[in-house]
Amino acid sequence: MDKKNITEIAERAGVSLATVSRVFRNHPNVSRKMREKILNTAHQLKYSPRITAGERSIGLVIESLDEIHSDFYLATMLAYVAQQLSARNLGLELISIGRIEKLQEHFIHSAIAIPYFEESKKLLLRQKHTRFVLINEIADGVSSVGVNHRQGIRLAYEHLYENGHRKIGLLQDHLGGWGNSERHLGFLESLEQHGVDSEAERSFDITGNTISDVLEHVLSRKFTALVISSESAVLKVIRELHRLGVRIPDDLSLISYEHPSISPYLWPAHTTLKQNHIQLVTNAIDIAARLLDDETEHPMRILVDNQLIPRDSVKFLK
């Protein structure tokens, strides 16, 4: 006989999915009689629970498992999540958006999610049996942990301003999404703080445009500095600037986001914004672990500040 899923067990036993899950997770708030009834039903249906007593797992939901090897941010977050869960004696269930049904099948009642797209977020929020913590995304009624993107961009702008730059641009891609919107708002706040016309063209979107076209336009406008707020575009921008004969920082100063295995070794070494990924993960797991224990958790929003790492890619202008 094929193995049955927990929905069939709940229907046969006449109980809720949550009660079946509590039994298989060895939760204390289930009577012995109820526990025996559900386990007997599972045996009758030839069902072997994937999660047994003593095992407690938290899910990590990402867009695609295929992207991990090529996405520095995703790979970094996965490494920290695995490390932190292991230290807390918790298991990890890695699930892609395309296999979201595994959350229910594997009794994952608490999960950390890193959605990239609005449709993915909506799909997550339709799951009835899993409580989520979002990383770098927000939704009503759901806890979230994110980088303080506005603070980071303001920090970068202030550093450039203190070094004499007045013609400062922001390079972005994929302007949709909470994080990119926050970065753009931080840039507008910096312009307003320093009395710069925020309506003037100072923010440049490389989505759908060639980087060379965007950079040639930036250079024609006599900008002296750029904040590259797209982590994935940094090397492409550097390559194109080199092709155009632009010297960093003599002709154009740059601030990008920290990639510890790349940023210090670029020539010149890049001044960067460092996002505290481990703090993001620690805060997210703190919340997810409480949700795993069925603790009442009022939705909260935690923002983690960036750190500026000064190096050699910013020129001081008199």
Side-chain angles (χ1 to χ4, degrees):
M1 178 185 289
D2 293 335
K3 291 182 179 181
K4 305 296 182 180
N5 62 35
I6 63 170
T7 301
E8 293 169 289
I9 295 171
E11 290 173 352
R12 177 75 69 89
V15 299
S16 68
L17 288 172
T19 301
V20 175
S21 174
R22 288 191 181 96
V23 168
F24 289 144
R25 290 190 295 133
N26 201 29
H27 197 283
N29 294 340
V30 182
S31 69
R32 185 175 69 178
K33 183 177 179 179
M34 180 61 70
R35 189 179 304 278
E36 290 176 353
K37 178 180 180 180
I38 291 172
L39 290 176
N40 286 337
T41 302
H43 283 301
Q44 291 168 11
L45 294 174
K46 309 259 184 229
Y47 178 82
S48 298
R50 189 174 183 281
I51 298 179
T52 58
E55 281 191 353
R56 286 154 49 78
S57 292
I58 287 176
L60 176 62
V61 183
I62 61 176
E63 290 291 343
S64 170
L65 301 183
D66 296 334
E67 296 177 356
I68 295 175
H69 72 283
S70 59
D71 188 325
F72 163 71
Y73 166 71
L74 200 57
T76 300
M77 298 302 284
L78 174 58
Y80 283 138
V81 168
Q83 178 189 62
Q84 292 287 307
L85 289 178
S86 177
R88 301 181 192 215
N89 201 29
L90 291 169
L92 169 64
E93 189 78 25
L94 185 60
I95 296 172
S96 68
I97 290 289
R99 301 297 302 278
I100 197 71
E101 70 278 1
K102 295 297 182 183
L103 288 169
Q104 178 177 331
E105 293 177 10
H106 295 175
F107 312 111
I108 304 301
H109 289 271
S110 173
I112 297 166
I114 310 177
Y116 283 0
F117 306 107
E118 186 66 22
E119 285 305 312
S120 299
K121 184 174 71 172
K122 290 178 180 177
L123 183 60
L124 289 169
L125 300 181
R126 287 199 292 267
Q127 307 308 306
K128 298 179 180 178
H129 306 292
T130 303
R131 301 168 74 186
F132 290 100
V133 183
L134 300 178
I135 289 186
N136 273 330
E137 188 51 85
I138 59 172
D140 292 338
V142 180
S143 289
S144 63
V145 179
V147 173
N148 191 344
H149 295 292
R150 293 196 198 191
Q151 174 264 350
I153 295 298
R154 291 197 303 263
L155 198 63
Y157 190 98
E158 198 61 34
H159 181 73
L160 292 168
Y161 194 89
E162 289 174 353
N163 277 274
H165 294 272
R166 298 296 181 266
K167 209 67 185 296
I168 302 168
L170 179 72
L171 198 65
Q172 290 189 281
D173 64 358
H174 302 295
L175 295 184
W178 175 78
N180 281 324
S181 297
E182 287 292 294
R183 290 176 182 181
H184 187 68
L185 288 172
F187 186 69
L188 293 180
E189 289 170 355
S190 295
L191 296 179
E192 182 179 1
Q193 178 183 348
H194 292 287
V196 179
D197 180 10
S198 61
E199 297 301 319
E201 188 182 15
R202 290 178 177 267
S203 180
F204 306 93
D205 180 15
I206 61 175
T207 308
N209 300 301
T210 64
I211 291 179
S212 61
D213 287 344
V214 174
L215 290 176
E216 286 175 2
H217 180 61
V218 169
L219 295 170
S220 70
R221 298 281 307 282
K222 306 299 182 183
F223 280 80
T224 65
L226 272 181
V227 179
I228 308 173
S229 74
S230 167
E231 290 91 329
S232 62
V234 175
L235 294 181
K236 299 173 186 176
V237 170
I238 294 172
R239 179 181 182 278
E240 194 58 33
L241 288 174
H242 178 73
R243 188 188 71 81
L244 293 170
V246 177
R247 300 168 300 167
I248 305 169
D250 294 334
D251 302 323
L252 185 69
S253 292
L254 296 179
I255 293 182
S256 58
Y257 276 86
E258 177 72 3
H259 190 318
S261 62
I262 294 177
S263 303
Y265 307 107
L266 295 172
W267 189 263
H270 268 214
T271 295
T272 58
L273 290 170
K274 181 179 180 181
Q275 303 172 90
N276 194 336
H277 292 131
I278 194 166
Q279 189 62 54
L280 282 181
V281 168
T282 300
N283 288 336
I285 291 178
D286 284 343
I287 299 171
R290 293 198 293 271
L291 296 177
L292 184 66
D293 291 327
D294 292 329
E295 294 184 19
T296 300
E297 184 73 41
H298 296 293
M300 63 177 65
R301 189 173 300 170
I302 299 174
L303 293 179
V304 179
D305 283 349
N306 297 262
Q307 173 191 354
L308 184 83
I309 302 179
R311 294 196 182 100
D312 304 322
S313 63
V314 173
K315 180 181 179 180
F316 176 74
L317 300 180
K318 295 181 180 179

